[in-house]
Amino acid sequence: MLIKAADKIRSSEITPKSHFLNRRALLAGTAGLIAGAALPGYARSLDFEKASGDLPGPLTDKDDITSYNNFYEFGLDKTDPKKYAGALTTDPWSVKIDGMVNNPGDYALEDLIKPSTLEERVYRFRCVEAWAMVVPWVGIPLADVIARADPVGSAKYVAFETLVRPSEMRGQRGSFQLLDWPYREGLRLDEAMHPLTILANGLYGEELPNQNGAPLRLVVPWKYGFKSIKSIVRITLTDKQPQTSWNMQAAREYGFYSNVNPEVDHPRWSQAKERVVGAGIFAKKQDTLMFNGYADEVGGLYAGMDLRKNF
Ligand SMILES: Nc1nc2c(c(=O)[nH]1)N[C@H]1C(S)=C(S)[C@@H](COP(=O)(O)O)O[C@H]1N2
Ligand SMILES: [Mo]
């Protein structure tokens, strides 16, 4: 619905997987994507280009990005979301923004995300199970949404919640539930306001497939995948560190920060190497990069912190 117009423009311009992405060409594509009234968004993309250093690598096939997913509301298997997430009604959709803000309210999705403000962001994306992807997301900076809600000075964290709707989410039905719903995530306010942090409503220039978290999901490219919460219905500003689903499930294995860090292993496996989704299980693993390759941009957020303790 929202970015339908982008389909035709983008599909002809997608760089084949085998090519190393040319960010400038891609941004030219983005200019087309947001054609017309969208100069501010384009300007921001150019700033981002300056700030973001090296290219993230070849794009992962859209098929892989949309058929190998984690979305426990639809089942525990990585093939479940593609099979079952189609049952979710994503229109109409609204997001409640509450807590320590001057402008709380229920914001309709189309009011929160205007096509003219959309940007394309090509990010490395990393699952804790050591799968790596490169995804051309479409979305808006989370900072813009938070600024609009106007946090009060003492707000320090942002909490997120996913929809609870067992009638459409088969993973929320039945007697065995691994996670306590709603799926919850959180960021420190400075992490949430960082220009790399986006709310995505699309990928590959098209509307976000349900299995990837339609209609609106978080993308925090320097953190493990589970921080990037899907199908968001609530954003709460708070002064207390929010509870997060995986930390609630297994606190010893999943900390609040969850920054990609090759030096801090998961208790049950090493995080020093990663596999590229789609490359096959026999492909050589590659080294995991500190902060998933975004150390220059985000390292300063954690200056002086013990990242073994704050994992
Ligand atoms: N609501 C919700 N969000 C979620 C999850 C989930 O189960 N439910 N899984 C997380 C995990 S573990 C990962 S790795 C990413 C996967 O995102 P992708 O399927 O778009 O690759 O979504 C994250 N967001
Ligand atoms: Mo994950």
Side-chain angles (χ1 to χ4, degrees):
M1 98 209 111
L2 281 170
I3 52 176
K4 268 277 140 65
D7 288 18
K8 288 170 201 74
I9 304 162
R10 288 287 310 154
S11 53
S12 60
E13 290 175 356
I14 298 303
T15 312
K17 185 188 174 189
S18 54
H19 287 200
F20 204 63
L21 244 198
N22 178 316
R23 189 185 293 274
R24 202 167 285 279
L26 188 79
L27 285 168
T30 308
L33 180 101
I34 56 175
L39 283 172
Y42 184 48
R44 197 198 323 273
S45 297
L46 291 174
D47 292 341
F48 167 75
E49 174 185 27
K50 239 184 273 152
S52 65
D54 287 340
L55 300 168
L59 289 182
T60 304
D61 270 351
K62 190 172 148 196
D63 259 4
D64 291 322
I65 296 171
T66 59
S67 55
Y68 188 77
N69 303 98
N70 270 333
F71 201 166
Y72 278 24
E73 285 84 342
F74 297 100
L76 306 190
D77 199 277
K78 285 187 165 38
T79 59
D80 284 339
K82 185 178 180 177
K83 278 189 224 150
Y84 302 118
L88 180 65
T89 308
T90 58
D91 186 11
W93 194 272
S94 67
V95 179
K96 181 185 284 303
I97 306 185
D98 63 359
M100 302 175 75
V101 292
N102 292 312
N103 302 322
D106 290 301
Y107 290 79
L109 184 67
E110 52 276 20
D111 175 34
L112 221 48
I113 291 208
K114 301 233 167 40
S116 62
T117 60
L118 289 174
E119 300 172 26
E120 182 160 77
R121 299 286 188 89
V122 178
Y123 283 162
R124 302 169 123 263
F125 189 67
R126 234 314 284 266
C127 283
V128 72
E129 306 90 339
W131 290 102
M133 298 196 262
V134 178
V135 183
W137 300 107
V138 177
I140 60 167
L142 174 61
D144 291 1
V145 169
I146 292 179
R148 220 177 125 188
D150 191 15
V152 303
S154 45
K156 289 194 175 60
Y157 295 92
V158 186
F160 303 86
E161 287 179 13
T162 294
L163 180 71
V164 180
R165 190 183 285 160
S167 62
E168 293 183 354
M169 296 172 137
R170 71 198 307 276
Q172 292 179 335
R173 305 196 288 261
S175 50
F176 175 75
Q177 304 284 327
L178 184 73
L179 299 176
D180 193 21
W181 313 114
Y183 193 97
R184 273 162 266 212
E185 258 309 334
L187 296 171
R188 231 169 46 193
L189 185 54
D190 58 346
E191 298 176 319
M193 296 300 286
H194 191 281
L196 284 175
T197 306
I198 59 169
L199 288 172
N201 73 333
L203 56 81
Y204 266 109
E206 295 167 15
E207 241 179 89
L208 200 60
N210 282 9
Q211 60 266 38
N212 292 92
L216 193 68
R217 57 93 55 82
L218 185 67
V219 181
V220 196
W222 70 93
K223 293 178 181 281
Y224 291 118
F226 62 90
K227 297 298 282 184
S228 292
I229 182 173
K230 297 174 167 179
S231 305
I232 295 168
V233 292
R234 187 174 178 198
I235 299 176
T236 307
L237 277 284
T238 162
D239 57 3
K240 294 185 186 60
Q241 185 174 297
Q243 286 211 298
T244 63
S245 286
W246 283 99
N247 182 259
M248 290 162 69
Q249 210 280 329
R252 219 174 59 83
E253 303 187 14
Y254 307 102
F256 175 76
Y257 282 94
S258 312
N259 292 316
V260 174
N261 188 340
E263 291 156 23
V264 178
D265 289 335
H266 185 280
R268 292 185 278 127
W269 57 74
S270 165
Q271 292 285 21
K273 301 255 181 204
E274 60 192 24
R275 295 176 191 281
V276 177
V277 171
I281 54 164
F282 299 113
K284 208 168 161 270
K285 291 182 180 177
Q286 61 189 29
D287 288 340
T288 298
L289 300 173
M290 188 66 193
F291 297 118
N292 203 26
Y294 298 98
D296 288 351
E297 290 86 355
V298 302
L301 295 173
Y302 311 103
M305 282 178 68
D306 180 346
L307 297 181
R308 286 186 177 278
K309 255 202 216 133
N310 297 288
F311 61 97

